[in-house]
């Protein structure tokens, strides 16, 4: 990975913190240069072409019941919009990817706030939204100090602003809900935006998105085919041991293999580190899914919203990336230095 | 599932429109505005107030009688599209996002764009005059009795074509009969001259909003006869506010 781009750009220009920033943010060069990016785009395009064909074949063979067919059609139509909407900003240029992550964070927070009732506390919601915008600004400016500062600053602002209404009843609940909302959807997802500062961000983001979505699909398929024993019956009664194990069996090698291609030539490109990343992504994706299951059952709702027909809310579809984004960012960052600001660089582990 | 001793038992109140798609949400009487609507209504409210004051010289008489907090229903005579804007603009700013003008579904909610403007900027809720109005009124009554909202309603059901106030429909009674929800009668004068039905560009006529004392209908039976009684009493109060010689809106 070319991890020195921000630093070298600034040094070359020699004109302070933000020199050379625009060139990187709007850089459309080499969108499809990396084999992993091409592979992921091909897999997504192939799936979008093959799904209706296979559904048609199965229907002709009489092996696709009508109600399942309707469900597949609704989900497919949603993916037909969603997949290009996810890939296009990544392929376009870094700023587009950062803004897309910001939009996703805001949509996720909106669903969460409306599901928990937090949206009625407008000052808290406004601070979370400002926090999300702040994280995006820090990513755009490639300013890691601000990126890390946004979390404590937002928490301080939330804790302080909740005092103003002079209504101590429910203080802990509403502040905690807001803090969790910001940490998960602002600070957590924001790591994806910060990754776009890396010259190699396209294959990296494509890899993470593909692996987390593959985890969901593999868990569903293995669970349907072999699922018997439920691991978390209170949290998610449809999840089975076979589903969890099957998802790991698919995601760990897939992620490790792709990461090898993405990280080639860096300190990260060692088998044990790649496998650990695969395990982290595999476990993190499933934990994200179960975490959202816990949230929904705690509130007593089935879906987080109805933004995506056939899927429920945006969060119901993207829960698996919530925990993976910060975990993968910092784990990779330990070795490659990615994520550090334009003034620093280099990993802390040789 | 049970909670262990010492574990906090938090209660959550999801948005009443939770689970509805965006289009359905905009057209639902269960809609609750969020941060975007709140900002939009703040801007729209300030602009409306400035426009009504500057162009129509809006004067509010008895403004101190406007309710301080939900639940409540504000009813008035209906002669112009300006009516709902006049009442909404007269309300305290902190109340605006919790007060919903009921708007004719067939006029303001047929297209998605119009629904979005009416809901997001004016906080309107739809009431279809023919289909499913009964169920919508039941849902609105539940929201009122839960104490969470205020409604602005024109019980004539349509703008007067002559300038004379028409009969009040029983639907308003269905919202409040047998409840302690206060109903505030109002009289709007001048809106008919400023923008009558069929008018496209408002004329600079002076508009006055006269606010009456709140009434409750706790002792009225929640049936057809009770609803009609509520409608009659409210019409009388609104008409009384108009005063002698001011029978035209």
């Amino acid at each position: 990975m070319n991890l020195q781009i921000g630093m070298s750009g600034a040094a070359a220009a020699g004109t302070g913190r933000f020199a050379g920033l625009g060139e990187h943010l709007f850089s459309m060069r080499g969108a499809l240069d990396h084999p992993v990016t091409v592979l992921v785009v091909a897999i997504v395009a192939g799936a979008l072409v093959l799904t209706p064909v296979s559904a048609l074949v199965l229907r002709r063979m009489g092996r696709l019941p009508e109600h399942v067919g309707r469900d597949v059609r609704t989900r497919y139509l949603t993916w037909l919009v969603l997949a290009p909407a996810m890939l296009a900003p990544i392929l376009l240029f870094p700023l587009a990817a950062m803004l897309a992550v910001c939009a996703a964070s805001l949509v996720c927070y909106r669903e969460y706030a409306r599901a928990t009732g937090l949206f009625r506390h407008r000052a808290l919601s406004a601070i979370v939204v400002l926090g999300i915008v702040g994280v995006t600004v820090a990513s755009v400016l490639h300013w890691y100090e601000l990126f890390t500062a946004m979390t404590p600053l937002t928490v301080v602002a939330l804790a302080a602003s909740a005092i103003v209404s002079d209504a101590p009843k429910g203080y802990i609940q509403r502040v905690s809900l807001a803090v969790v909302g910001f940490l998960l959807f602002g600070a957590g997802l924001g790591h994806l935006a910060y990754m776009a500062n890396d010259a190699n961000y396209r294959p990296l983001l494509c890899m993470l998105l593909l692996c987390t979505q593959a985890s969901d699909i593999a868990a569903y398929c293995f669970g349907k085919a072999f699922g018997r024993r439920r691991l978390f019956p209170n949290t998610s009664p449809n999840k089975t041991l076979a589903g969890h194990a099957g998802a790991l069996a698919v995601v760990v090698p897939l992620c490790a293999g792709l990461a090898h291609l993405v990280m080639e030539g860096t300190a990260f490109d060692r088998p044990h580190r790649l496998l650990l990343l695969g395990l982290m992504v595999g476990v993190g994706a499933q934990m994200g899914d179960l975490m959202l299951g816990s949230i929904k059952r705690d509130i007593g709702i089935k879906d987080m919203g109805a933004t995506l027909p056939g899927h429920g809310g945006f969060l119901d579809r993207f829960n698996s990336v919530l925990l993976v984004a910060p975990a993968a960012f910092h784990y990779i960052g330990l070795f490659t230095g990615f994520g550090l600001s334009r003034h620093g660089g280099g990993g802390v582990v040789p | 599932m049970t909670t262990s001793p010492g574990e906090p038992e938090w209660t959550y109140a999801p948005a009443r429109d939770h689970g509805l798609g965006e289009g359905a949400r905009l057209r639902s009487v269960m809609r609750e505005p969020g941060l975007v609507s709140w900002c939009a209504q703040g801007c729209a409210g300030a602009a409306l107030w400035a426009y009504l004051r500057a162009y129509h010289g809006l004067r509010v008489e008895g403004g101190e009688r406007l309710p301080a907090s939900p639940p409540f229903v504000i009813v008035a005579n209906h002669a112009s599209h300006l009516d709902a804007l006049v009442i909404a603009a007269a309300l305290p700013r902190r109340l605006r996002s919790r007060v919903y003008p009921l708007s004719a579904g067939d006029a303001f909610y047929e297209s998605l764009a119009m629904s979005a403007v009416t809901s997001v900027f004016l906080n309107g809720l739809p009431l279809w005059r023919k289909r499913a109005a009964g169920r919508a009124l039941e849902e609105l009554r539940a929201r009122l009795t839960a104490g969470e909202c205020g409604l602005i309603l024109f019980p004539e059901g349509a703008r007067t074509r002559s300038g004379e106030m028409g009969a009040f429909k029983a639907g308003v009674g269905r919202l409040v009969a047998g409840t302690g929800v206060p109903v505030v009668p109002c009289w709007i004068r001048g809106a008919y001259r400023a923008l009558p039905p069929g008018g496209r560009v408002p004329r600079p006529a002076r508009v006055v909003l006269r606010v009456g004392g709140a009434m409750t209908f706790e002792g009225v039976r929640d049936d057809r006869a009770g609803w009609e009684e509520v409608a009659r009493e409210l019409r009388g109060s609104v008409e009384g506010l108009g005063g002698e010689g001011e029978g035209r809106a």
Side-chain angles (χ1 to χ4, degrees), chain B residues 159-173:
Chain B
R159 290 166 297 164
T160 172
R161 273 17 189 200
S162 63
E164 302 294 336
M165 187 167 67
F168 278 16
K169 292 186 186 299
V172 64

Side-chain angles (χ1 to χ4, degrees), chain A residues 140-303:
Chain A
V140 169
L141 298 179
H142 196 179
W143 189 353
Y144 193 63
E145 291 86 344
L146 179 63
F147 184 77
T148 50
M150 281 315 299
T151 298
L153 289 179
T154 306
V155 171
V156 165
L158 289 169
S161 74
I163 302 166
V164 176
S165 59
D166 191 28
K169 184 76 183 161
Y171 175 88
I172 298 176
Q173 174 170 342
R174 60 181 187 269
V175 173
S176 306
L177 283 173
V179 169
V180 168
F182 173 74
L183 290 179
L184 288 177
F185 315 120
L189 268 185
H191 285 83
L192 291 179
Y194 204 90
M195 282 181 197
N197 283 306
D198 194 291
N200 223 12
Y201 78 95
R202 289 186 180 99
L204 192 62
L205 290 181
C206 284
M207 175 190 85
L208 290 177
L209 289 177
L210 179 77
C211 290
T212 48
Q213 298 309 308
S215 171
D216 285 359
I217 295 165
Y220 178 81
C221 295
F222 278 89
K224 281 279 176 205
F226 312 108
R228 297 281 180 278
R229 206 175 132 202
R230 290 168 181 168
L231 264 191
F232 304 96
N234 291 328
T235 303
S236 196
N238 293 331
K239 302 282 189 313
T240 59
L241 180 60
H244 291 298
L248 278 183
V250 169
V251 172
V252 174
L254 176 70
C255 184
L258 292 175
H260 163 65
L261 296 173
V262 176
M263 311 288 180
E264 211 167 358
T266 70
F268 195 82
D269 190 20
R270 309 277 187 278
H272 61 288
R273 288 173 184 167
L274 296 170
L275 281 173
L276 190 57
L277 177 69
L279 198 63
M280 193 178 272
V281 171
V283 172
Q286 296 190 41
M287 285 295 140
D289 197 0
L290 290 166
M291 176 190 72
L292 196 79
S294 300
I295 291 175
K296 287 191 289 192
R297 263 153 198 84
D298 193 10
I299 299 170
I301 54 175
K302 184 179 172 291
D303 289 324

Side-chain angles (χ1 to χ4, degrees), chain A residues 20-34:
Chain A
L21 202 60
E23 194 188 337
H24 170 65
L25 287 174
F26 292 98
S27 171
M28 297 175 82
R29 269 175 302 176
L32 287 170
D33 276 2
H34 201 285

Side-chain angles (χ1 to χ4, degrees), chain A residues 110 114-117 119-120 122 125-126 129 172-173 176-177 234 297-299 301 303-306, chain B residues 1 9-22 25 31-35 38 97-98:
Chain A
R110 179 178 183 263
R114 294 191 75 82
T116 55
F119 76 105
R120 296 189 187 92
R122 294 209 175 80
S125 271
V129 167
I172 298 176
Q173 174 170 342
S176 306
L177 283 173
N234 291 328
R297 263 153 198 84
D298 193 10
I299 299 170
I301 54 175
D303 289 324
M304 290 302 282
Chain B
M1 274 186 292
E9 282 195 62
W10 288 3
T11 52
Y12 305 97
R16 281 184 173 265
D17 51 32
H18 181 80
L20 295 177
E22 284 308 310
R25 185 180 160 261
R31 186 182 59 79
E32 279 194 81
L35 204 57
W38 180 70
S97 61
R98 296 177 71 188

Side-chain angles (χ1 to χ4, degrees), chain B residues 116-193:
Chain B
V117 170
T118 313
S119 299
V120 173
F121 286 94
L122 302 174
N123 210 23
L125 293 180
L127 200 60
W128 270 270
R129 286 177 275 205
K130 284 175 187 154
R131 55 185 149 115
R135 190 177 161 205
L137 289 172
E138 286 305 316
E139 288 173 339
L140 289 169
R141 181 183 166 100
R143 291 188 73 170
L144 279 172
T145 48
E148 65 169 71
C149 70
L151 299 177
I152 298 172
L153 175 62
F154 302 102
E156 290 165 83
R159 290 166 297 164
T160 172
R161 273 17 189 200
S162 63
E164 302 294 336
M165 187 167 67
F168 278 16
K169 292 186 186 299
V172 64
R174 202 162 173 179
L175 288 174
V176 295
T179 73
V181 175
V183 186
V184 181
C186 292
W187 174 260
I188 300 167
R189 197 183 71 211
Y192 184 76
R193 282 193 298 278

